[in-house]
Amino acid sequence: MSMRLPKGKSKVYRLLFCLLLFAYFPPALAVEEQSDVVFSPKLQKAYFEIQKLRLPAARELIDEERVVNAENPFIAYLDSYADLHYLLIAEDRSRYKVFTQQQEKRLDQVGRLSEKSPYKRLFQADIRLHSAFAKLKFGNEVSGSWEIIKSYRLLEDNRKKFPAFTPTLKSLGLLHVLIGSIPENYTWIAKILGLKGNITQGIRELREVVKEEPFFKQEAELIDLLLHAYTLQLSPEQQARIRQWPKEQPDNLLLHFFATTVLMKENRSEEASYFLAEAPVGKEYMPFPFLNYLRGEIALQRGDYEEALALYARFLKQYTGFNYIKDSYFKMFLCRWLTGRNQEAAGYIQKVTQTGSTIVEADQFAERIAKEFGEGKISPMQKVLYKARYATDGGYFQKAGELMKTVSEKSFGTTYEKAEFNYRMARILQKSGHINESMPFYDRSIALGQADAGAGGFAASSALQMGYIYQKKADNQRAVLYFKKAMSFKKHEYKNSIDNKARAALTELGQ
């Protein structure tokens, strides 16, 4: 027997200016109407199977329901939802092309819903968001950003028409946070396009969904945690939740992946290894070769270079996507170069410039270093900095500190290296709990970056961390100055992510 849900109280920025030409084109409206959405038990199960990355199992359930009622709009929604998860992980260009062709048909099917249904615009908006995130993943930034704008307008319209319909806030809350994080030099475009929102508002909306809507609770909570992990900052309670969640759902591959990546980001790679080891596998799940990349990262951080090289090689053999290829070959280069096996290392560094793409920051960094290495600009003295960097990333702070004791700023010949030395020292001290001792090293890195634009990435990262330090000290005036300074550095690999984090922090501070 089918049931209906109760109706209760869901790098995007840098090309937004290209969308001004399209700002006043309204979304197309369907003319035929059909009955409301049917949330059958099979489709409800499929929705949660997708969130576990059990995509083959989910598609089987959807196809069974398609035989019974092919016109049910929830089927079109779930088809889009499943495709998005597949594309974000597999990076399959042929499937992406099919996906973009199918999305308009899915929008047409959802568009036949009655104007009286609050699910009409919600599903239209979410399908457009699925398209947006896929397009951004595949490098189609203008088209993806335009999809976000259309989704935003549909959600705002739905909120006005159905103010008590809480599920709208699942996606609208996400967009309000993203809009609130837009770098300051793009906010004028958001205003012209009618995009409004802020971080506090968006988080409040997501948490209202978590509280009021059991069906959409998990998705809204995951969005909330993702935003805090990658744009804002996680509270101790949120960190505890990330650890507990996979234990509550041992069959959920997505939650194990999320816990792994967040713990690695928080410099807790040994703990992350537990969730990697416990990640479920089987024919019910989609292939996920990126997990071997993560295992390679942890082995590199530990200094287990043979194991790391084998894991990166396994990832590349299984992977059919286009991101993290340059980065993997660069890491394989390091596994040989850091151990003095220079001839073998040379073959891997050549692969960096010959393969992959430069969409993600890790690949951009790998490409630049490979070119500089070929030009003889990377000195052997940088080996200690690389070893210390990855040890710090993994949370092996004592090992990182011992490495850095073998050198000083005077050991390095270029401003870039000197800035990195100071940044690495600061990060080790900060992560080891010696906050005050870290601050002079951050300030020195900032000064070096201001003197030499080539060191701007370390300077920007240092300014961001100083902002966080002063924010925790409740010295908001100095925190604001450092966050603004972090955004002032130009043309470095991490500018988008640093600017987004700094902008989000300034918004929280009322700036």
Side-chain angles (χ1 to χ4, degrees):
M1 179 179 179
S2 65
M3 62 172 285
R4 302 179 192 279
L5 287 179
K7 296 182 181 178
K9 311 239 168 179
S10 171
K11 304 191 176 167
V12 177
Y13 319 115
R14 59 190 173 103
L15 291 178
L16 275 174
F17 61 91
C18 296
L19 304 172
L20 290 171
L21 295 174
F22 311 112
Y24 302 104
F25 281 67
L29 298 175
V31 293
E32 297 180 40
E33 287 191 359
Q34 64 183 49
S35 59
D36 208 353
V37 182
V38 179
F39 292 87
S40 71
K42 283 185 178 179
L43 293 183
Q44 289 188 60
K45 185 177 181 181
Y47 171 74
F48 290 107
E49 293 285 79
I50 293 168
Q51 293 177 17
K52 296 177 181 179
L53 298 183
R54 292 166 57 95
L55 298 191
R59 292 189 193 281
E60 186 175 337
L61 289 165
I62 295 168
D63 287 341
E64 289 174 5
E65 194 70 20
R66 205 186 314 272
V67 175
V68 178
N69 182 8
E71 297 304 311
N72 182 0
F74 196 33
I75 291 176
Y77 176 88
L78 290 176
D79 282 337
S80 175
Y81 194 48
D83 283 351
L84 174 66
H85 283 72
Y86 172 80
L87 291 170
L88 292 180
I89 292 170
E91 297 183 354
D92 185 330
R93 292 189 185 276
S94 60
R95 288 282 293 274
Y96 170 68
K97 184 177 180 180
V98 174
F99 168 80
T100 55
Q101 293 169 347
Q102 290 175 329
Q103 288 300 81
E104 287 303 319
K105 296 177 182 177
R106 292 165 181 168
L107 285 168
D108 288 343
Q109 186 172 344
V110 171
R112 297 188 193 110
L113 275 166
S114 168
E115 286 291 319
K116 297 179 182 179
S117 171
Y119 286 103
K120 177 175 181 174
R121 287 171 180 79
L122 173 64
F123 282 3
Q124 286 176 322
D126 274 5
I127 289 172
R128 289 201 176 279
L129 273 184
H130 300 162
S131 295
F133 295 142
K135 288 178 178 180
L136 292 170
K137 178 75 170 184
F138 283 78
N140 298 325
E141 292 180 323
V142 173
S143 182
S145 298
W146 176 229
E147 293 284 6
I148 287 177
I149 291 171
K150 289 191 278 191
S151 177
Y152 171 87
R153 290 175 175 171
L154 285 163
L155 291 165
E156 284 286 8
D157 192 29
N158 209 43
R159 186 175 63 167
K160 292 174 183 176
K161 291 179 180 296
F162 306 99
F165 185 65
T166 310
T168 301
L169 302 180
K170 170 182 67 70
S171 301
L172 191 57
L174 166 63
L175 293 184
H176 281 155
V177 173
L178 294 179
I179 293 165
S181 306
I182 291 176
E184 191 171 9
N185 53 326
Y186 291 115
T187 54
W188 66 274
I189 300 172
K191 290 178 181 178
I192 290 175
L193 295 173
L195 306 179
K196 300 177 182 178
N198 59 65
I199 293 169
T200 302
Q201 175 189 8
I203 296 300
R204 183 178 64 248
E205 290 166 341
L206 286 166
R207 291 178 180 174
E208 185 175 344
V209 177
V210 172
K211 182 180 178 181
E212 300 290 341
E213 292 293 334
F215 187 76
F216 291 110
K217 175 182 178 179
Q218 179 167 287
E219 185 178 354
E221 185 177 4
L222 184 60
I223 293 170
D224 184 0
L225 289 173
L226 280 168
L227 289 168
H228 277 85
Y230 292 99
T231 301
L232 309 172
Q233 288 190 299
L234 289 166
S235 68
E237 294 77 17
Q238 288 174 319
Q239 292 183 20
R241 177 59 174 152
I242 288 168
R243 292 177 174 85
Q244 184 60 32
W245 215 355
K247 297 175 183 178
E248 294 172 359
Q249 296 185 39
D251 65 338
N252 193 317
L253 177 55
L254 181 61
L255 293 182
H256 282 79
F257 168 69
F258 179 49
T260 298
T261 55
V262 171
L263 287 168
M264 289 178 69
K265 181 178 176 294
E266 297 292 318
N267 311 107
R268 297 178 179 273
S269 289
E270 285 300 306
E271 193 175 355
S273 295
Y274 165 81
F275 292 100
L276 264 179
E278 294 297 313
V281 295
K283 63 181 181 180
E284 301 89 353
Y285 297 89
M286 70 168 293
F288 207 165
F290 193 72
L291 298 182
N292 281 324
Y293 170 88
L294 296 177
R295 294 184 180 102
E297 292 285 276
I298 294 172
L300 177 65
Q301 292 164 359
R302 284 199 311 263
D304 192 342
Y305 300 120
E306 287 298 324
E307 182 182 355
L309 188 139
L311 287 164
Y312 288 124
R314 190 180 307 169
F315 162 67
L316 290 171
K317 184 177 180 180
Q318 298 171 341
Y319 184 57
T320 58
F322 45 84
N323 288 318
Y324 296 98
I325 294 176
K326 290 181 181 294
D327 179 65
S328 294
Y329 279 120
F330 173 65
K331 302 291 178 52
M332 294 171 81
F333 156 77
L334 289 177
C335 289
R336 290 295 181 247
W337 185 61
L338 295 178
T339 55
R341 299 163 70 171
N342 294 347
Q343 188 172 356
E344 294 175 67
Y348 292 118
I349 203 71
Q350 288 176 2
K351 290 275 191 180
V352 174
T353 57
Q354 295 169 354
T355 59
S357 65
T358 53
I359 296 175
V360 298
E361 291 175 339
D363 288 329
Q364 294 169 13
F365 177 80
E367 176 89 352
R368 180 174 68 80
I369 296 299
K371 289 180 179 178
E372 291 182 1
F373 187 84
E375 295 167 357
K377 296 179 179 179
I378 306 299
S379 73
M381 283 302 301
Q382 288 194 29
K383 290 183 179 183
V384 68
L385 296 177
Y386 277 110
K387 289 179 179 179
R389 169 188 176 175
Y390 291 113
T392 304
D393 288 347
Y396 306 105
F397 303 128
Q398 183 176 349
K399 178 180 179 180
E402 290 171 355
L403 285 163
M404 293 298 285
K405 286 178 183 177
T406 65
V407 293
S408 68
E409 183 182 312
K410 294 180 180 179
S411 303
F412 302 97
T414 67
T415 304
Y416 178 91
E417 292 171 336
K418 293 176 187 292
E420 181 174 4
F421 166 81
N422 283 280
Y423 175 73
R424 299 289 170 218
M425 282 294 298
R427 286 298 281 165
I428 293 166
L429 289 166
Q430 182 187 16
K431 288 292 183 178
S432 301
H434 304 294
I435 307 299
N436 291 335
E437 291 95 323
S438 73
M439 295 169 73
F441 288 100
Y442 278 135
D443 276 331
R444 175 62 176 158
S445 184
I446 293 168
L448 289 165
Q450 289 175 321
D452 186 340
F458 295 117
S461 297
S462 295
L464 180 69
Q465 293 303 322
M466 286 290 282
Y468 287 142
I469 289 171
Y470 278 115
Q471 188 177 20
K472 288 181 179 178
K473 289 176 177 286
D475 189 342
N476 292 348
Q477 185 175 1
R478 287 187 181 178
V480 167
L481 290 175
Y482 275 105
F483 286 132
K484 288 183 177 179
K485 186 181 292 290
M487 297 170 64
S488 70
F489 293 94
K490 311 295 184 184
K491 295 182 180 180
H492 56 85
E493 290 91 349
Y494 306 107
K495 182 161 182 61
N496 285 338
S497 60
I498 288 175
D499 282 9
N500 290 346
K501 291 173 183 177
R503 180 69 256 165
L506 287 169
T507 301
E508 284 188 298
L509 293 171
Q511 297 296 307

